[in-house]
Every structure is written in C-alpha cells, then in structure tokens.
Amino acid sequence: MNPFKKLFVFIALVLGSVTHAQTALVRGVVLDKNQQPVANVNVSCTANYTFSNKEGKYELQVPANQKTVVVFTHVSLKKAILSLLLRPSEVYEFNVVMSEQQEQIGEVVVTANNRKQVQGIVSIEPEMIRKMVGANAGIENILKTLPGVNSNNELSTQYAVRGGNYDENLVYVNEIEVYRPFLIRSGQQEGLSFTNTDLVQNVEFSAGGFQAKFGDKLSSVLDITYRKPTAFGGTFEASFLGGSVSLDAISKNKKWTAVTGVRYRNNSLLVNSQDTETNYKPTFVDVQTNVNFNASTKWNFNFLGNISQNNYNYQPLTRQTKFGTIDKPMALVVYYEGQEKDQYATYFGAFKSTYKASESFTLKNITSVFHTTEQEHFDILAQYRLGEVDATIGSDTYGNVSFTRGIGSQLNHARNNLDALIVTTEFKGIHDWKKNRVEWGAKFTRESIRDRVIEWEVIDSAGFSINPPDKFLPKNEQPYVSYTGPLLPFRTIRATNFNDINRFSGYLQWSRRDEIGATSVWYNAGVRMQNWSVSGTNAIGNSQTVFSPRAQFAIKPNWDSDMIFRISGGVYHQPPFYRELRDAEGVVQPDVKAQKSVHLVLSNECSFEMWKRPFKLVSELYYKSLTNVNTYTVDNVRIRYAATNDAIAYAQGVDVRLNGEFVPGTESWVSFGYLKTEENNANKGYIARPTDQRLKFALLFQDYMPNIPSVKLYLNLVYNTGLPGGSPAYADPYLYQNRLNDYRRADVGFFKVFIDHTKPRPQKGLFKNCKELALGFEIFNLFNNQNAITNTWVRDVYTKSEYGIPNYMTTRVFNIKLSAKL
C-alpha cells in the first residue's frame, strides 16, 4: 500500500472515531473594580449554580451546543450577565469585574470574535498550542498548518507567509517586538523559540493587510499576550526532547502577579535520525518571567525578561545517502573530520507602564533592551566518494558502492562573531469616544551591531583544486594540462562591520463601528512613518523616510447566514534591518532602500452549522505588488541579500480554511493555499522567487476514543509542493533553477489523560495537587517520508557532470511526553 493510501485509511479511521459530550465548563475569578477577589457571588445557569470562594474562583457546568446565559449576582454589587455558546467538553475561562454602579451585560465572546474577524486576525487557543504534536512543538508549529504559511523544515521555527521570507514577519509579546537570531544557518542550530507556550494567554495572527499600529514588515503579524495569574499554580512537561517548568505566583493583596518559565531542549533525538552520523551535543536553555503590578485602578506596571543560552557542538562522522533511479542507483559516501562549536546568548528585558486616565483614555510607555552575542566557529573536512550501487539481488555487495565515479574533498572554515544591542522606547495612546477609537504611537530605536565574518571553502576533485566560478582565471585542464594560475578558495567572504542604526517611527489610526440599517460595518484607516539612518566604519548612509497608509473595511449583512465581508490593504514598507544591509560579500551597504509592497486582500468568513455543530469557512484572495525588492538566496534557513534594490516582484494567491467540530467538543481545521510569486531582477524577466511554494494542504485534527474519552489523539499533517532551491549557491537562477521535491509530513500523538476537570483529583499521593495529568506517545514523520532541505553538489571526474545529492531532514522518530498542571 503506497503512503497516500495509508494516509487516506488513517484519516478515515481517525475521522470515524467520534463521540458526544453534552456539557461544557465555565470557570474564572470574580473581581471588584479594585481588582480584589469577591467571595459568595452566585453564579447560575438554568437549574445549575455555584458560589465563588474566598479567592473569587468559581466553576460552573453549562449546557453545550446551545446559547447559554450565565448570571453573576451579589448582595452589594450590580448583576453581570454573560451570553455564550460553547462546544461540548470546552473549558472557557471568564474573569468578570463586577461594578457597584451599573449592570453588565456580557456579549464578551461575540464582541471579541467580531473584532478579530473584521481585522482579519486568526485567534489560536493556547491549550491547542500546548497539546498539538510536532517535532518543534509550539506556536510556530500551529502556524505552519494555516493557509499561506509555509515551511519545509521541521527543525526550524521560521516560517514564510504569502511569498515573503523569514525576515518579513513581525512578532510581538505583550506589545513588545522580539527578534530572531542573526547567524543561524540551519534549523538544528535554533533550539528554542522566544515564545514560551506555558506562559501564553492569547495568540493572534494576521497573514496580511494588517493595521497601521503594527510595525514595518511586509508579510505578517504574530501578536502574543502572556497571562496574568489569578492563583498559585504551575505546569511541568518532560520528554526525550527536553522539558519545561512554569510557576504562577500572586501576592496576598492580589496586586503583584508573576509567571515564570524554564525550558530545556535537546534535538539529538531528531538530528541523529538523519543520514549523517554525528557526535551531537546541543544545550538549549532559557528562563522567562512576566511580572505585573497593579499599583491602583489607574496605574499598571509590567516587566518581561528573558535569558537564553544555546550551545551547539556538532561533530559529523560519516554519511551515506542513496539517490538516483531504480535502473541506475547511486550513493554518496562521506567521511568527516573536524567539528563545529556555536554559542548564542540572548538577554532581553522590557518595562511597560500603563496609565488609564479615564474609561476612554489610556497611555502606555514601553522601554526594552535586547542584547545578543553569537559565535559560529567551524572547521569541517568532508572527503567524499560518489559511485554506483550494486543493485543485483543476491550479490554479496548488494546495496554497496561497486564502482566509484568520483572522489573529492571539501573543507569549510568559519570564524563568525556578532554582538548586537537594540534599545527601544515607545509611547502609545488610545482614545475612545462613542463608536470611535483613535490610536497613536511614537517610537525610537537604536541598533548597535558589531560583526565579523570570515568564511572560506576549498573544493578538491580527484586531487585538483576547483577554482571559484565567479573569477576570470585561466581554464583549469588538469590533469591533462599543467595549471599556472593562482590557487584560490572556491568561495571566500571576509568583512568587519561596526554599524549603528537610528530609527524614528510613529503611527496614527482611526477605527469606527457603525450600523447602516440592520447591517453592521467597521472602518479602519491609518498611516505609519519611519525615518532611519545608518552610520559606522566606512559606511555612512543618507537619512531616509517612508510613509505607509493602510485601511480596512468590513461589513456584516443582516442575513440568515452569518457572514462577514472584508477588504483591506495599503502600502507596506520594510526599512532594512542589519541582515538586509549586508550584501553577499558580507559588506554593509548603508543606502539600501526600504522594500515596498502594495497589498490588496479580499476576505469572506461564513459561520454555519454542520452535523448540528459550529463551523467556519474563511476564504481570502490576495495580491501584492513589490518594488525596491532586495533579492536574496536561501540556504536551509540562512538568508543572504544582494543589497541592491534592483528588482520588482509580485505575489498572488488564495487561502481557504475550514475549522470547526469535526469531532464534538474538539476544534480541528483543514487548510488549502495556492501561491504564485515571481521577481524580475534588473529587467532580465520574471522567474520564481525562493519562496514560491505553489500548493499547500494541511490538516490539524483532534479526536478521542468513543468508549474511552480520556484517550485522545492529535494529528498534524502538512503537504507543500517543492520550493525553488537546491541549485548550487553560485548558480545564476536565470540560467539554472531547480526545485526541491514536495514536502510531506505527518506527526501524530496518542495521550492518556489521567486527571482533568471531568475527573476527581486523588485525595492523597504524589498527584493530589494536580489539576491535569497526561502521558503521551508521539510519532514524528509517521510515514517516514524523505524530505530534502537543500542539495550537496559533487562532481563526476569522468563525465565532468555535477550531481545534486539531497540533504534529507529527519526520519520517523518516537517520543514519550509527560505533562502536568498544578
């Protein structure tokens, strides 16, 4: 049975195992206007009721799959009413603030969803992020199942959105922009993503057409909010890939709260499944904390801190990769000497103060410091043998190389060091009146970069050094004709850059919700501005300024069908970050312009019921026209720019996502995306960009056994067509452009839940304080597909041909995971 038939049968079995639950759970904390817990609040729904305890906490079982009204009453406070519709077995957290002066009618759920819908934002439940299986589990693992979001590297947390690259995505945590590493060249070096999923409260994602209040990038926005604890608690997780611990703390007067997480990761389990046999000793550790202080009803202070230490020690030993056809199988055998030692240390701190002057006016100040020191040192000699494989069944040498077509060696050397310090201060304001909201912000950023790049590569084929392809040297006819030209490395880069970049940016935007008869409409319009200049050793650039107007319009007709139509777009500029200033030779070009993209996004969201359960179909059609394009090449996850702004490009496509309760009580989704993106460099004509991933299909699925609902299944399946890539690094894409094979991957996890809200806790023993306890068995790359990230190019000395040997990613791997929540 071929892999696709296996996949079809597997999904059919999964989709067939459904069960029905009849209730959901609402829980949370009741607070007064001073953020103090309120005891003895009556929380009722139809015939069911409960009371809040002395800490203000409550839990209430409510009917599922129907509109439910929950009423909060207290002898000295005004009544609060919450209207909501929950899925079976869903746990919804609602923290209500009860007032002494006015009754509250909480259309909280509907209002929040509408806000996200009209802005084109996808909201992802933190619980789903924590539970979904993946080789690099976390927020990025979930994002890669959304339409328009592409990645063909399970070891990396980087992702490309709608034809953009990894550097075109904004990531915010508590409204503070965070940065990706500078020197990372492969996914297995990355270690931990900045975002700690144990601390997350809210995740929102926009794939384009976002508002002016978000920063100056071309592709997407990931906006993450860390939670504020309401009681003491904690989480614990351990697996063969590492572990994590988090702790929630709150002061006696409820003014101070803190959530702290520690993570450790070791990718050896995954890396050792690749073709290359290695001594691989990585250590990825980080500590994060989010501290909040409610000084009064008007003042709130927040501190976000992170310390990360990644040590990557890599010593390859041998490699054997088989390729070719059934009629002509071939193999590459490599023996290595040397090692790689990399270190990445990151220190991040941000302080945010919020002043709520009135119910309609809020001011914020955010100051952050980001410091990273990165070291990438390696000397690796690879001696290879390229040959034909004995395919004669019964032969004593079956499967081994029987005839050598080429031999050679490759020596790679690097001494790269980088020290970056980024300091930011920002002021924001929010003004509300009637149905209008005005938001503004002003920000100053100073980036200080100290960078040294020393890299060279020597290639030897059959005992003769290969000249660099971009140098005009005498033709090398060895061994037949003696060579008299200079001996040069095949590739060499040497540069030292000490640069400072000063940036001033700001935004102003207006939003309004209105009604035209029985039809609801939303408006948003705004503009961003950024001015920047680059200075440093032998690199002083001109001051540059860009303006980026943006707008959104959404309408919800008063139809029987629940639909929202949205159009959004504008001008998006991306002023160059340090990586984009550095050309292919490692030299900073200070006058690189901002890349410019004109976006247009047409969207429709349709909510409906199927099988008497809620579903939503989201469709988006988009087009981007790009100018001042800074062309680049991608090798694994390393991006190198030309720093010339001499290209134009476009991206167009359609994204579709159907999400809902394929199984009662659980959310799943199916995604499909079509993308075409091309660039025209120096009027040579249009060719595919490095991120031109034409088709994308993804399935994120949750299920549980009908007769044993505590046994749960999580499936993460992705199919991407091949990316342009795999060509030699020196090849002109206008003369030779290759595509990698399609990327196919399925990860599945089976978990047994021993303790959760549906089961009573043990009264004594080790787990008496556990709110949740689960043990899982995970299978990464379920069908053992061979996915290539790049190609290694070797020469056949007899035919003068070059062969592209795939560098395969991870094979099938098994993992065990234990998770607990206190």
Side-chain angles (χ1 to χ4, degrees):
M1 186 181 291
N2 66 46
F4 290 103
K5 289 183 178 180
K6 292 181 184 178
L7 177 61
F8 179 79
V9 172
F10 181 78
I11 294 175
L13 291 173
V14 168
L15 291 172
S17 56
V18 300
T19 186
H20 296 271
Q22 303 299 323
T23 62
L25 182 71
V26 180
R27 66 185 181 191
V29 179
V30 183
L31 305 171
D32 61 19
K33 66 178 183 179
N34 296 318
Q35 300 295 307
Q36 299 300 310
V38 182
N40 299 318
V41 174
N42 183 285
V43 187
S44 61
C45 168
T46 59
N48 196 13
Y49 69 93
T50 187
F51 290 92
S52 61
N53 62 19
K54 63 180 181 180
E55 296 177 345
K57 295 191 289 187
Y58 72 92
E59 287 189 357
L60 181 69
Q61 295 281 347
V62 298
N65 285 335
Q66 66 184 60
K67 190 168 184 179
T68 304
V69 176
V70 179
V71 181
F72 300 80
T73 57
H74 188 269
V75 292
S76 61
L77 299 172
K78 294 294 184 179
K79 179 170 62 176
I81 300 173
L82 172 66
S83 178
L84 73 171
L85 174 65
L86 298 181
R87 301 184 295 270
S89 300
E90 181 177 357
V91 179
Y92 182 77
E93 184 170 321
F94 180 69
N95 301 325
V96 59
V97 178
M98 300 186 70
S99 171
E100 299 174 353
Q101 299 177 348
Q102 60 182 359
E103 183 176 296
Q104 301 175 65
I105 300 177
E107 291 292 341
V108 176
V109 178
V110 175
T111 302
N113 284 341
N114 281 345
R115 178 184 66 81
K116 296 166 187 174
Q117 286 176 313
V118 300
Q119 293 182 18
I121 290 174
V122 177
S123 182
I124 303 172
E125 291 295 327
E127 201 65 23
M128 176 182 287
I129 296 170
R130 285 187 280 268
K131 292 180 178 179
M132 188 50 59
V133 64
N136 214 330
I139 293 174
E140 297 84 0
N141 182 49
I142 300 293
L143 291 182
K144 293 173 185 178
T145 66
L146 297 177
V149 182
N150 296 308
S151 173
N152 61 345
N153 190 339
E154 63 269 14
L155 291 175
S156 173
T157 59
Q158 309 305 322
Y159 53 91
V161 179
R162 292 180 177 174
N165 67 34
Y166 307 141
D167 291 331
E168 297 178 10
N169 305 309
L170 284 162
V171 180
Y172 292 98
V173 175
N174 290 357
E175 302 181 81
I176 302 154
E177 186 175 356
V178 298
Y179 305 91
R180 60 183 289 252
F182 288 77
L183 296 184
I184 293 292
R185 68 172 65 212
S186 68
Q188 64 194 41
Q189 294 173 306
E190 281 189 27
L192 296 161
S193 164
F194 180 92
T195 308
N196 187 333
T197 55
D198 292 335
L199 314 186
V200 168
Q201 175 179 301
N202 190 48
V203 178
E204 296 178 348
F205 178 75
S206 173
F210 43 86
Q211 296 181 354
K213 67 180 179 181
F214 296 112
D216 296 292
K217 296 284 187 180
L218 297 181
S219 292
S220 73
V221 173
L222 177 61
D223 191 11
I224 301 163
T225 304
Y226 280 177
R227 68 175 184 270
K228 298 178 182 179
T230 57
F232 280 96
T235 63
F236 169 82
E237 183 179 288
S239 76
F240 292 151
L241 291 172
S244 65
V245 176
S246 73
L247 177 66
D248 295 359
I250 185 169
S251 66
K252 188 175 181 180
N253 61 5
K254 311 297 182 182
K255 288 183 176 291
W256 289 89
T257 63
V259 55
T260 302
V262 180
R263 295 181 295 171
Y264 167 78
R265 183 173 176 88
N266 186 323
N267 280 337
S268 298
L269 182 70
L270 297 168
V271 174
N272 289 336
S273 73
Q274 296 176 299
D275 285 342
T276 304
E277 182 183 345
T278 67
N279 287 327
Y280 179 60
K281 298 177 181 178
T283 304
F284 305 135
V285 180
D286 85 336
V287 180
Q288 285 191 36
T289 187
N290 183 45
V291 181
N292 284 278
F293 174 56
N294 286 316
S296 65
T297 56
K298 293 183 177 292
W299 283 98
N300 175 267
F301 301 97
N302 170 264
F303 172 77
L304 175 64
N306 174 71
I307 298 175
S308 175
Q309 182 73 48
N310 292 354
N311 292 320
Y312 176 84
N313 297 324
Y314 180 75
Q315 183 181 15
L317 301 175
T318 62
R319 167 186 173 179
Q320 179 168 327
T321 301
K322 295 181 180 180
F323 64 103
T325 64
I326 296 176
D327 295 333
K328 190 179 179 181
M330 299 188 71
L332 175 71
V333 180
V334 186
Y335 299 92
Y336 294 96
E337 295 180 26
Q339 62 182 329
E340 178 174 356
K341 288 189 175 182
D342 302 336
Q343 292 183 348
Y344 307 90
T346 300
Y347 306 90
F348 176 82
F351 182 79
K352 180 170 74 172
S353 57
T354 303
Y355 175 65
K356 194 172 182 65
S358 65
E359 291 296 322
S360 60
F361 181 36
T362 302
L363 287 172
K364 298 179 181 180
N365 171 250
I366 302 172
T367 301
S368 65
V369 178
F370 172 84
H371 182 218
T372 181
T373 58
E374 303 182 13
Q375 169 189 297
E376 185 183 46
H377 292 183
F378 58 79
D379 289 283
I380 297 178
L381 172 64
Q383 297 173 309
Y384 69 84
R385 177 187 175 197
L386 176 68
E388 298 176 2
V389 176
D390 184 359
T392 305
I393 298 176
S395 170
D396 293 338
T397 59
Y398 176 76
N400 297 326
V401 175
S402 59
F403 176 73
T404 299
R405 300 187 63 89
I407 58 173
S409 61
Q410 179 177 334
L411 176 61
N412 283 285
H413 166 93
R415 292 294 184 271
N416 299 333
N417 294 85
L418 181 138
D419 188 309
L421 178 66
I422 302 176
V423 180
T424 300
T425 186
E426 180 178 14
F427 290 92
K428 292 182 176 182
I430 303 173
H431 305 261
D432 293 317
W433 87 96
K434 297 182 179 179
K435 298 180 180 180
N436 300 277
R437 167 171 283 194
V438 173
E439 299 173 71
W440 57 267
K443 181 178 180 181
F444 170 73
T445 302
R446 181 176 177 83
E447 303 162 8
S448 296
I449 313 293
R450 306 293 180 263
D451 180 26
R452 184 192 71 171
V453 182
I454 301 175
E455 295 182 17
W456 51 258
E457 177 184 22
V458 175
I459 297 179
D460 168 275
S461 180
F464 304 101
S465 179
I466 305 298
N467 283 332
D470 56 348
K471 304 293 184 183
F472 295 100
L473 298 172
K475 191 173 183 180
N476 191 344
E477 298 281 352
Q478 295 185 88
Y480 309 106
V481 179
S482 177
Y483 177 69
T484 59
L487 291 176
L488 297 175
F490 184 77
R491 182 180 58 88
T492 181
I493 298 174
R494 289 179 179 269
T496 301
N497 302 302
F498 286 14
N499 296 100
D500 296 318
I501 307 171
N502 293 321
R503 304 182 191 270
F504 295 90
S505 62
Y507 68 88
L508 176 66
Q509 72 172 38
W510 161 78
S511 304
R512 176 181 174 85
R513 177 183 176 182
D514 215 336
E515 286 79 30
I516 301 177
T519 298
S520 298
V521 293
W522 291 264
Y523 311 90
N524 174 270
V527 63
R528 286 193 66 85
M529 179 278 296
Q530 184 171 146
N531 170 272
W532 76 97
S533 60
V534 181
S535 61
T537 306
N538 301 322
I540 299 177
N542 297 318
S543 176
Q544 301 184 60
T545 304
V546 293
F547 293 89
S548 304
R550 307 172 187 178
Q552 295 179 333
F553 174 76
I555 182 170
K556 184 176 183 180
N558 185 27
W559 296 346
D560 292 336
S561 300
D562 186 0
M563 283 195 177
I564 290 181
F565 298 91
R566 181 178 65 254
I567 180 171
S568 59
V571 179
Y572 293 78
H573 285 95
Q574 181 165 321
F577 196 54
Y578 176 74
R579 249 188 310 268
E580 296 151 80
L581 294 170
R582 205 171 69 173
D583 64 17
E585 300 300 320
V587 179
V588 167
Q589 304 297 328
D591 288 323
V592 173
K593 299 177 182 178
Q595 299 183 84
K596 178 182 177 181
S597 176
V598 178
H599 286 206
L600 179 63
V601 183
L602 302 176
S603 310
N604 170 256
E605 295 192 13
C606 177
S607 300
F608 59 95
E609 284 197 357
M610 185 167 60
W611 309 317
K612 296 183 180 180
R613 299 193 292 271
F615 284 83
K616 181 190 292 184
L617 178 66
V618 181
S619 306
E620 292 196 329
L621 186 69
Y622 60 88
Y623 181 82
K624 303 179 188 179
S625 176
L626 297 96
T627 55
N628 290 336
V629 172
N630 192 350
T631 57
Y632 58 89
T633 60
V634 180
D635 183 7
N636 204 303
V637 298
R638 188 185 198 184
I639 299 176
R640 285 202 157 165
Y641 291 90
T644 54
N645 292 117
D646 58 354
I648 59 175
Y650 71 88
Q652 61 187 24
V654 59
D655 290 339
V656 180
R657 183 170 75 109
L658 175 66
N659 71 297
E661 294 185 23
F662 292 94
V663 174
T666 65
E667 182 182 10
S668 304
W669 63 64
V670 178
S671 299
F672 171 80
Y674 168 78
L675 163 70
K676 183 179 182 181
T677 180
E678 294 183 321
E679 64 187 21
N680 181 352
N681 188 0
N683 293 319
K684 296 179 184 178
Y686 281 95
I687 59 171
R689 303 194 77 195
T691 53
D692 182 37
Q693 200 147 42
R694 291 297 171 89
L695 295 178
K696 182 331 179 11
F697 172 81
L699 172 67
L700 187 146
F701 189 79
Q702 301 183 74
D703 195 9
Y704 48 89
M705 293 183 64
N707 298 322
I708 315 175
S710 61
V711 177
K712 301 182 183 295
L713 176 144
Y714 303 95
L715 174 66
N716 184 346
L717 183 149
V718 175
Y719 169 80
N720 296 325
T721 54
L723 284 168
S727 307
Y730 54 84
D732 183 346
Y734 280 91
L735 299 177
Y736 180 80
Q737 190 175 57
N738 188 35
R739 276 188 183 264
L740 297 168
N741 292 332
D742 296 351
Y743 181 85
R744 299 167 295 167
R745 186 175 179 89
D747 299 327
V748 66
F750 304 90
F751 284 79
K752 167 63 178 176
V753 178
F754 298 98
I755 303 173
D756 64 5
H757 71 277
T758 65
K759 298 181 178 181
R761 302 184 201 173
Q763 298 300 311
K764 56 184 179 179
L766 182 62
F767 303 111
K768 65 179 181 180
N769 294 319
C770 281
K771 295 179 182 177
E772 297 178 11
L773 180 66
L775 179 65
F777 175 67
E778 299 175 324
I779 307 174
F780 303 136
N781 199 355
L782 177 64
F783 302 113
N784 203 26
N785 293 312
Q786 287 189 314
N787 297 308
I789 185 67
T790 56
N791 285 332
T792 296
W793 290 87
V794 298
R795 291 161 178 77
D796 181 347
V797 70
Y798 297 100
T799 66
K800 304 298 183 183
S801 300
E802 289 190 73
Y803 291 89
I805 290 84
N807 296 317
Y808 292 119
M809 298 296 295
T810 59
T811 58
R812 185 188 292 120
V813 172
F814 302 98
N815 186 39
I816 295 176
K817 180 189 289 186
L818 174 68
S819 61
K821 183 176 181 180
L822 305 178

